[in-house]
Amino acid sequence: MATVVLLTFTGLGLGALYFLIASGLSLIFGLMDVLNFAHGALLSVGAYGTWWAASGHLPGAGTEGAGFALAVVFGTAVGTIAAVLLEVAVIRPLYTRPREQILATVGVGLAVPALLSAIWGADARPFPGPKALSGTFALLGAEVPLNRPVLIGVALVVLAALKLFLGRTRHGLVVRAGVEDRAMVTALGIDVRRAFTLVFAIGGAAAALGGALGGLYFGSVDPGQGTSLLIFAFVVVVTGGMGSLTGAAVASVAVGLVQQFANYYTTAGLGDVAVVVLLAALLLVRPRGLTGRLA
Amino acid sequence: MSPAPAPLLTVRDLRVVIGGRHILHGVDLEVAASGTTALLGRNGAGKTTTVRGILGLVPRTGSVLLAGEETVRQTTHALVRRGIGYAPEDRGVFAALSVAENLRLAERPGAGEPAYDLVHELFPELRRRARQAAGTLSGGQQQMVAIARTLLNGNRLIIADEPTKGLAPKVVTEVAQALERAAEAVPVLLVEQNLAVVRRLARHCVVLADGRTAHQGPALDLLADAEAARRLLGVGSAGHGGPARTPAGPPARTAARPAARTTEADA
Ligand SMILES: Nc1ncnc2c1ncn2[C@@H]1O[C@H](COP(=O)(O)OP(=O)(O)O)[C@@H](O)[C@H]1O
Ligand SMILES: [Mg+2]
């Protein structure tokens, strides 16, 4: 029982991380048809930004309490700015050339980790999280690390905020309409490219926040973290249906849990394979993913 | 006779090439400053492409003057915001959004109060179905949403592409009435295959054939000339207010298609 509880929390925590990456990835693809291979790099930017600030480089930021919160805000802000720059400077000039666009995001996805390791080294750096979050709590005989429920809680808050944004605001309305038919949105007199930038900013913020929290989850940051998480986030997005937020949430949980349980109860590493098998099986039954629509 | 007022929209030598295929070879047309101008022609003549070219939804060359101002270099959204309401051929309704959301999307913040009174007067059904997902509406109701979106703003031009296509006769009448009412205040460019509707609404007409302008003139003159109507539109008789018939066969030609992602030139 204790093992099941621990695996469940760990799987859900991992699922929360996947969701923070996949939500933006899915919105960006749904609206813009852009598969953003640089999305993992945005997570890394957030992770390193938070790490850098919490390590005492940013006045007021630190490893405890409000100081750590400030570090997370800083990391998220840096990731958001990076995402906006990516959209404006790399994606936008290439809108009429989808192939070059993909290559450009792949390039950025490779360049950012290389840049990070050039500056701070290729090795993992210990992540300075608050003491309060480094402990565990006892549940049904299991010692569950506290950062798991924190991650799950943050992902739920992000999900709720995104749903409110999409459902209750005019910008959200434009995004939902754009996912269905971009050209018609412009034919109503709306500059859909502003929604593009907005969706990149939101997706970048969520991924960067995932980076900050991923530091807590893994206990360290390294340049390749974002890229390896991105692979599973792609699985989540395809499983959940491109452009579907609810689909991404459900698929994140499924992928995180399947991965953890399969890795534990079979050979380690098989869980990662199991996730891909899950994806293939689902696509055979429901080619458009779990929902195939946004909301 | 006093000189005719300057046309609202003047299109000169409009050319469209898509995927290396020349679809429009130089369309010339004028939309009069008042009333309805019908855009006619057989299936595949280039009517929809002309409308999409005017709006910049497909790459185009030539000249498109709106109230004397060249717009051919403007993006679609900028041009539309200058006062164009567009009801596209596939209706362009957002299936996953509610009726109310479809209408709200067409509002132009900062451009005056949206005319919901007019919309609900013409289409009381839309008020009752405000919360219904537009994808679950009938074809006629979706067309009402599409027309309503063009009426919401104080537009200076309304463009409707085959708004009665595939609709039941009763709904055809309702849509035609709404357009007739709209045309009292705003000039309308109407692509239409239903000649009974053309006869009722249109003062002027432009006929396309093979991506070129084949004829321009008063609508009634063309409809009265059986030989010209047959040659230009491919119909034997233009009918005299008879039952709604399209020259291209039964009106059920297109069922409600899900709002497909269309190509775009604006992105
Ligand atoms: N996106 C496109 N790609 C290729 N051919 C097209 C495209 N759109 C229209 N066409 C072709 O251009 C011609 C004119 O089409 P269209 O403007 O839809 O005619 P109409 O509205 O008069 O029926 C048709 O032969 C059609 O097949
Ligand atoms: Mg057409």
Side-chain angles (χ1 to χ4, degrees), chain B residues 42-49 89 161-162 165 191 193 253:
Chain B
R42 301 174 188 230
N43 269 327
K47 304 179 295 294
T48 297
T49 306
E89 185 171 36
D161 193 347
E162 300 212 32
K165 187 164 91 178
V191 180
Q193 301 263 33
R253 188 153 47 98

Side-chain angles (χ1 to χ4, degrees), chain A residues 30-31 33 95-96 167 170 173-174 176-194 196 293, chain B residues 57 75-77 80-81 86 88 92-97 101 104-109 149 259-264 266-267:
Chain A
L31 180 67
D33 292 336
Y95 265 125
T96 49
R170 180 163 174 92
L173 183 61
V174 170
R176 281 186 293 145
V179 168
E180 272 195 58
D181 187 345
R182 251 180 337 205
M184 191 59 216
V185 173
T186 68
L188 290 175
I190 297 163
D191 184 359
V192 80
R193 283 169 306 183
R194 284 162 67 181
F196 292 177
R293 54 167 290 203
Chain B
L57 286 165
T75 57
T76 299
H77 65 87
V80 166
R81 251 186 255 162
Y86 171 50
V93 162
F94 299 97
L97 307 190
E101 286 175 330
R104 202 181 314 142
L105 203 59
E107 292 176 12
R108 304 215 182 103
R149 288 191 306 205
R261 187 183 287 270
T262 35
T263 52
E264 66 217 83
D266 192 44

Side-chain angles (χ1 to χ4, degrees), chain B residues 8-129:
Chain B
L8 174 70
L9 188 78
T10 307
V11 176
R12 288 281 167 261
D13 198 31
L14 187 71
R15 290 166 189 268
V16 171
V17 180
I18 299 176
R21 205 183 133 197
H22 292 255
I23 295 178
L24 299 186
H25 312 274
V27 167
D28 296 310
L29 67 85
E30 287 174 0
V31 176
S34 66
T36 297
T37 302
L39 182 57
L40 308 173
R42 301 174 188 230
N43 269 327
K47 304 179 295 294
T48 297
T49 306
T50 297
V51 164
R52 291 170 58 79
I54 289 170
L55 289 167
L57 286 165
V58 289
R60 79 291 198 204
T61 60
S63 165
V64 177
L65 299 171
L66 178 64
E69 218 179 303
E70 184 58 70
T71 66
V72 85
R73 299 202 183 288
Q74 289 185 9
T75 57
T76 299
H77 65 87
L79 173 57
V80 166
R81 251 186 255 162
R82 296 188 52 197
I84 297 179
Y86 171 50
E89 185 171 36
D90 62 5
R91 301 178 187 126
V93 162
F94 299 97
L97 307 190
S98 70
V99 169
E101 286 175 330
N102 267 279
L103 296 179
R104 202 181 314 142
L105 203 59
E107 292 176 12
R108 304 215 182 103
E113 270 306 293
Y116 278 105
D117 289 348
L118 172 66
V119 162
H120 289 144
E121 184 198 326
L122 289 171
F123 305 119
E125 261 197 280
L126 296 187
R127 168 176 271 164
R128 263 181 283 122
R129 297 181 184 273

